[in-house]
Amino acid sequence: MAGLVLTRPIPLLILQSFLLAVAFGSNEVEEEFSEALLLKPLPDRKVLAHFHFENRAPPSNSHGRHHHLFPKAISQLVQKFRVKEMELSFTQGRWNHEHWGGSDPLSSMNAKPVGVELWAVFDVPHSQVDASWKNLTHALSGLFCASINYLESSASYAAPTWGFGRNSDKLRYGSLPREAVCTENLTPWLKLLPCRDKDGISALMNRPSVYRGFYHSQRLYLSMVDSGEEGVGSGMLLEQTLTVVLQPDDVSVEKHLQPSWSLSSLFGRNVVGKCVLAKSSNVYLQMEGLAHPEAHTLWKNAEFELSIKPDRTLRESSSVLFIYSIDKSSDSEPFDLGLTWKLPSKWSCQQAPLHASRFLMGSGNERGAIAILLKATESQDKLSGRDLTNGRCTIKANIFQIFPWYVKVYYHTLQIFVDQQQNTSSEVLKKINVSPSTDKMSSGMMEMMLELPCEVKSAAISIEYDKGFLHIDEYPPDANQGFDIPSALISFPDHHASLDFKEELSTLPLLSKFKDKSLVRSYTEVLLVPLTTPDFSMPYNVITITCTVFALYFGSLLNALRRRIGEEERFLKSKGKKTGGLKQLLSRFTAKIRGRPVESPSSDSPATRSSILSTKLLFKIILVAVAAAAWQFFSTDM
């Protein structure tokens, strides 16, 4: 009984300690998670769906962290490798800047190159940056089931200084254009979410619907947030975005109308509730090119009609935003937003001041040239951010590109053409940084800053290169397909993209993110360079003919050495005695039928038979010797 009495106060002590911890820790900022979905019709009869998830971990003065919402795997990466800022993207398809936009915040931040792109800034001494980068690539490779570990080699990444848009000497950048994106990469990405894909907006991510789109890019952005207080560590901000461009099922009779769609028709699922751990859960519908009717008839007018009335409506200079809260949705009343078009509508997305494209010139497997073409767009005159230098209007453009070591670029052959006329480098080229490549050790890098006149129509840049030779072990399995050169990044430092709805939107993370000014940038195409490849079937042919010659050589030699001639003669004699009577009867019978005299059987003497066998044996030995001599001669030549 005494033991029982002593154990009773223990639950009360635990409860008291828990209440005290809650009382003293109530002033601390808690972790926050928010989810949002942005839907946007596109001019080319497609629909853009942008999923945005934001997870914040407040600053902490303790050495160990206990996270409630923030993913522990990402927190461990930050603590172990001292990552200050990082972005990782998996992309399939190429962003269409002409029809999907090029100067809005969505395209500037989420239009990524094909394959895998990774860049990171470290908070370590400069001598430890490369080691931290290699360890980070291995950790991310295992976390996301991808081949990111191939970026550990010094020949696969670069250290940009100012051309990438972030001025830091501790920045490392790498790209894998041929990396295939599949559900094996999306599943671990979803596991970082508090509700995964079981509840909330993330439940719409049906795998077949996502991967049948024209473009899909999953992105992970991590940054450290300084608290500004002494003795308090930095907070962490994790953004996970998934951008998908889908083609709605067009069931309308009139083909000149935009296709009508709903969430269930796009993803095959409905939203049946918010994630219970999310602070905010909203769905946005952005419409461009509208006539701006009255607010009370904006969601249902002569041009289009929405299936659900929005909770709020915001206007911007070139678009209208409808805001929906999914807090009240449930299994009995799912949220299934739909858009029905009534009249034909045409509009154009705002583009970057210059449209960039890259291509190869030349022929053959020895040398060639890489060219970048910049063309003026229709929205060039409408964009702000022009620079007045020496009384004239100019557009600044930064170009950043990486060259693999087997593409040996001659930087002195750089030529710049403005409006199809060659210009000297001093007139247009204001700044350049070049890092030549080293064979099998490091890749080449080039950063350029151009100042083009505002009235420019086109500008072209070309640079020559030679194609290197690889060892047979360095060729990939599909070497005849060609070798990829990563996309070049074109950024405009004087042009920034933002959406300002002139209202307080600090409680809506996605809209506050769009309100911040982001650098206008675009990626070019991935180049496919054919290199000289050996005949990979030759080792198979050599092995096959070698085995055949050895089989003939040793087989004939063993047959000649192991054969017993005397036993063969005795065997033939005994066989002839057994079958001699039968042969004589058959020969006599056939002779009588034909009316011919009976021939006496000819008996060969043993000496004759022995001479014939000896001649055959000698011929075989000579044949084997000739084959061996020929093999020895050709093998010494090779």
Side-chain angles (χ1 to χ4, degrees):
M1 291 296 293
L4 294 176
V5 172
L6 290 175
T7 55
R8 285 179 181 177
I10 293 179
L12 296 177
L13 293 176
I14 296 175
L15 179 61
Q16 290 177 0
S17 61
F18 175 74
L19 294 176
L20 289 174
V22 172
F24 287 101
S26 59
N27 295 329
E28 295 183 1
V29 181
E30 298 181 354
E31 297 179 353
E32 295 181 358
F33 172 73
S34 62
E35 57 179 359
L37 170 62
L38 174 65
L39 300 171
K40 181 181 177 181
L42 299 175
D44 58 347
R45 302 173 61 85
K46 297 179 180 63
V47 178
L48 170 67
H50 176 70
F51 296 85
H52 182 270
F53 307 94
E54 185 174 294
N55 209 327
R56 289 180 177 269
S60 176
N61 53 4
S62 60
H63 296 284
R65 288 178 176 265
H66 178 71
H67 298 288
H68 298 278
L69 300 177
F70 199 88
K72 183 179 179 181
I74 301 299
S75 177
Q76 290 177 344
L77 289 180
V78 174
Q79 296 176 4
K80 187 172 184 180
F81 305 123
R82 304 287 299 277
V83 180
K84 186 177 181 180
E85 192 176 8
M86 182 190 73
E87 185 178 80
L88 173 65
S89 63
F90 297 85
T91 307
Q92 194 72 27
R94 186 172 182 270
W95 184 267
N96 191 336
H97 292 273
E98 183 179 356
H99 295 97
W100 303 345
S103 63
D104 58 298
L106 185 62
S107 61
S108 298
M109 293 184 294
N110 298 278
K112 296 299 178 179
V114 179
V116 170
E117 183 193 44
L118 173 65
W119 61 267
V121 181
F122 299 92
D123 188 14
V124 296
H126 193 273
S127 59
Q128 302 177 8
V129 174
D130 292 332
S132 299
W133 168 265
K134 294 179 181 180
N135 295 330
L136 178 64
T137 56
H138 281 271
L140 292 175
S141 179
L143 183 61
F144 291 99
C145 298
S147 304
I148 310 176
N149 57 314
Y150 287 152
L151 295 176
E152 69 161 349
S153 174
S154 58
S156 303
Y157 66 89
T161 54
W162 49 267
F164 187 70
R166 283 168 170 77
N167 299 327
S168 176
D169 58 347
K170 300 177 181 179
L171 170 66
R172 295 296 181 268
Y173 174 88
S175 178
L176 296 174
R178 197 170 291 190
E179 180 71 14
V181 183
C182 60
T183 56
E184 293 181 356
N185 310 124
L186 182 60
T187 300
W189 184 87
L190 289 172
K191 288 183 179 179
L192 301 177
L193 301 176
C195 294
R196 299 191 178 183
D197 59 342
K198 305 302 181 182
D199 200 5
I201 294 178
S202 58
L204 290 174
M205 296 183 185
N206 187 22
R207 305 301 196 278
S209 301
V210 171
Y211 288 102
R212 75 179 180 185
F214 289 86
Y215 173 88
H216 60 86
S217 176
Q218 63 184 64
R219 169 178 164 267
L220 184 143
Y221 173 75
L222 173 69
S223 65
M224 304 299 295
V225 182
D226 295 332
S227 60
E229 301 179 5
E230 296 183 359
V232 180
S234 301
M236 291 180 288
L237 171 63
L238 177 65
E239 293 182 8
Q240 294 178 249
T241 62
L242 176 64
T243 307
V244 187
V245 177
L246 301 174
Q247 176 67 58
D249 296 332
D250 192 2
V251 296
S252 61
V253 180
E254 300 181 3
K255 296 184 178 181
H256 59 277
L257 287 177
Q258 289 283 339
S260 301
W261 51 266
S262 63
L263 288 178
S264 59
S265 64
L266 291 177
F267 299 101
R269 297 178 181 178
N270 296 327
V271 180
V272 296
K274 62 174 290 186
C275 177
V276 294
L277 300 175
K279 183 179 180 180
S280 64
S281 183
N282 300 311
V283 175
Y284 307 95
L285 176 61
Q286 184 181 3
M287 304 290 293
E288 294 182 345
L290 300 181
H292 299 286
E294 295 297 331
H296 64 277
T297 60
L298 190 59
W299 66 283
K300 185 183 294 186
N301 51 61
E303 188 175 0
F304 66 91
E305 180 180 352
L306 301 179
S307 61
I308 303 176
K309 183 179 179 179
D311 299 330
R312 295 177 61 186
T313 303
L314 301 179
R315 289 189 180 91
E316 204 257 344
S317 59
S318 60
S319 63
V320 178
L321 190 70
F322 302 99
I323 303 177
Y324 297 88
S325 178
I326 62 173
D327 296 341
K328 299 180 181 179
S329 59
S330 60
D331 293 333
S332 58
E333 295 181 2
F335 180 82
D336 189 11
L337 177 62
L339 172 63
T340 304
W341 292 92
K342 299 179 181 179
L343 296 176
S345 179
K346 293 183 179 181
W347 69 94
S348 60
C349 296
Q350 194 173 10
Q351 304 178 20
L354 298 173
H355 175 70
S357 60
R358 190 172 61 158
F359 52 90
L360 294 174
M361 298 189 303
S363 60
N365 292 329
E366 185 177 358
R367 58 178 58 90
I370 300 176
I372 297 178
L373 179 62
L374 303 175
K375 281 188 176 182
T377 58
E378 297 179 357
S379 59
Q380 178 181 354
D381 299 333
K382 303 178 183 179
L383 293 175
S384 59
R386 298 182 175 186
D387 184 24
L388 295 177
T389 305
N390 297 328
R392 65 189 185 95
C393 178
T394 59
I395 300 177
K396 290 184 179 179
N398 293 341
I399 301 176
F400 167 72
Q401 52 183 341
I402 297 177
F403 306 104
W405 67 266
Y406 46 79
V407 177
K408 306 179 186 300
V409 178
Y410 297 107
Y411 296 98
H412 69 279
T413 61
L414 177 65
Q415 294 182 347
I416 302 176
F417 300 86
V418 178
D419 292 335
Q420 300 181 358
Q421 294 184 359
Q422 186 174 358
N423 289 47
T424 59
S425 300
S426 59
E427 296 179 2
V428 179
L429 184 60
K430 299 302 179 182
K431 191 176 181 181
I432 186 171
N433 179 32
V434 170
S435 177
S437 61
T438 305
D439 287 354
K440 304 181 182 181
M441 294 297 294
S442 63
S443 57
M445 181 189 66
M446 183 176 67
E447 299 171 295
M448 302 171 55
M449 177 183 288
L450 304 179
E451 279 192 5
L452 302 172
C454 293
E455 61 276 5
V456 65
K457 298 301 179 182
S458 65
I461 303 166
S462 66
I463 188 168
E464 298 179 3
Y465 68 92
D466 277 354
K467 301 178 183 180
F469 292 93
L470 280 72
H471 192 267
I472 189 171
D473 296 334
E474 297 173 345
Y475 285 92
D478 52 349
N480 291 313
Q481 179 183 350
F483 293 79
D484 296 311
I485 298 180
S487 300
L489 174 62
I490 314 296
S491 59
F492 304 92
D494 294 335
H495 296 77
H496 295 83
S498 64
L499 289 177
D500 189 5
F501 293 97
K502 303 184 183 304
E503 292 190 23
E504 182 60 31
L505 302 173
S506 59
T507 59
L508 303 177
L510 179 59
L511 299 186
S512 61
K513 185 71 177 179
F514 286 168
K515 189 176 181 180
D516 298 337
K517 293 184 178 181
S518 59
L519 192 66
V520 175
R521 54 174 59 187
S522 62
Y523 289 88
T524 63
E525 302 88 347
V526 175
L527 298 181
L528 191 63
V529 180
L531 297 183
T532 303
T533 56
D535 185 5
F536 293 100
S537 63
M538 185 56 66
Y540 170 78
N541 297 335
V542 172
I543 293 173
T544 303
I545 192 173
T546 301
C547 294
T548 304
V549 171
F550 271 96
L552 291 174
Y553 176 76
F554 286 103
S556 302
L557 183 62
L558 291 175
N559 186 25
L561 296 177
R562 298 288 298 176
R563 174 176 290 180
R564 298 179 180 180
I565 302 174
E567 293 182 358
E568 290 182 359
E569 292 179 354
R570 289 193 295 270
F571 176 74
L572 293 175
K573 289 180 180 179
S574 62
K575 188 177 180 181
K577 291 180 180 179
K578 294 180 181 179
T579 59
L582 181 61
K583 286 185 177 180
Q584 291 180 3
L585 291 175
L586 291 176
S587 60
R588 290 177 182 177
F589 180 72
T590 54
K592 288 181 179 181
I593 293 175
R594 296 179 180 179
R596 296 179 181 178
V598 180
E599 297 179 357
S600 61
S602 61
S603 59
D604 297 335
S605 63
T608 306
R609 295 178 180 177
S610 177
S611 61
I612 295 174
L613 293 175
S614 300
T615 305
K616 292 182 179 179
L617 177 62
L618 181 61
F619 176 74
K620 290 181 179 180
I621 294 175
I622 294 174
L623 180 62
V624 171
V626 171
W631 168 254
Q632 182 68 21
F633 174 77
F634 287 109
S635 62
T636 54
D637 289 344
M638 290 188 292

